[in-house]
Amino acid sequence: MPPPLPGPFEHLAPLLTSYGYWAVGGVVLVEDFGIPAPGETILIAAGVYAGAGELNVVAVALIGFLAAVLGDNIGYLIGRLGGRAFVHRWGRYVFLTPERFERAERFFLRHGGKIVTVARFVEGLRQANGIIAGTTGMHWLRFLACNALGAALWVGLWVTLAYVAGSHIDTVYAAVEHYEKYVLAALGVLVAALITRHVVRRRRRRRS
C-alpha cells in the first residue's frame, strides 16, 4: 500500500497511485512549457513513493529529467516560432500575462544564458524559461546544454531528498523554500562577479 503523502503533496496521491510514472512524466512535461501544473511537487511525491518501494527511484529520476528537457524544448519552439505576439495573445490562458512575461524576459536578457541552468529552481521562471529563450533568439544547442544541466540538478535534488526524507519531506521542502532566495541571491552575485571579471580581462587584453 502506498505511504500517506504529507502536507502539500497529499492531493497528488490518487494521481500517482492510478498512473505512476505516466503521471510524473506528463505533469512535469506540461509544466515546463508554461501550463500551470504541480511539476515539482509530483516529482517530490514520486520520490517519496520510490523510498517506500512503490516506484523505482532511477526510473522516476530518468522520466523526470527527460520530461523536463522535452517540456522546455517545446516551450523553446513555441517562443521561437510564435514570438512575443503569440505569447502576448495566448499566454494569459496559462497565467503568463504580458507583464509577467516582460519581467521574466528582462531578467533573462540581463543575465544571459547562464540563467537557464538556475531558472529551473525559480517558480514562474521555470515555466517560462524555454519560451523566453526562444523569443530572445538564444542558440538552440546552447539552450539545450544549459537546460539539460539545470534539469539534472533539479530532478536529482528533489528526487534524492524525497527518497531519503520520506514522510518528513514536507519539513525539508519548507526549509529549502525558505533558504532558496538566499541561495539564488548568492548565485546571482557569483554570476555577476564572473561576468565582471571576464569583461575586465577582455578590456585589458584590448589595451595591451
Side-chain angles (χ1 to χ4, degrees), residues 11 33 41 49 61 75 80 94 128-129 136 152 154 164 175-176 179:
H11 68 286
F33 62 85
T41 48
Y49 269 39
R80 190 71 181 229
V94 293
N129 185 32
T136 55
W154 178 67
V164 173
V176 171
Y179 291 106

Side-chain angles (χ1 to χ4, degrees), residues 56-67:
N56 182 283
V57 67
V58 176
V60 169
L62 183 59
I63 291 169
F65 170 76
L66 293 175

Side-chain angles (χ1 to χ4, degrees), residues 71-155:
D72 263 357
N73 276 273
I74 293 173
Y76 179 89
L77 285 174
I78 292 172
R80 190 71 181 229
L81 300 177
R84 291 177 181 82
F86 180 88
V87 176
H88 288 168
R89 182 177 180 182
W90 301 104
R92 64 181 181 274
Y93 294 109
V94 293
F95 306 110
L96 185 60
T97 63
E99 293 76 19
R100 286 186 63 190
F101 178 76
E102 293 298 336
R103 286 198 300 270
E105 190 175 45
R106 284 197 301 272
F107 184 75
F108 189 95
L109 288 170
R110 188 162 61 245
H111 294 281
K114 297 178 183 65
I115 201 63
V116 172
T117 301
V118 297
R120 179 74 57 181
F121 296 89
V122 183
E123 183 67 28
L125 195 56
R126 177 170 65 249
Q127 293 84 351
N129 185 32
I131 296 174
I132 296 170
T135 59
T136 55
M138 184 178 186
H139 193 284
W140 177 71
L141 288 177
R142 186 185 178 199
F143 169 75
L144 179 64
C146 295
N147 181 54
L149 175 59
L153 294 172
W154 178 67
V155 171

Side-chain angles (χ1 to χ4, degrees), residues 3-4 13 21 25 27 30 37 59 63 65 71 85 91 119 127 129 135 156 167 169 179-180 185 189 197 206:
Y21 301 114
V27 174
V30 298
I63 291 169
F65 170 76
Q127 293 84 351
N129 185 32
T135 59
S167 60
I169 188 60
Y179 291 106
E180 183 181 50
V189 170
R197 187 179 68 171
R206 286 178 179 175

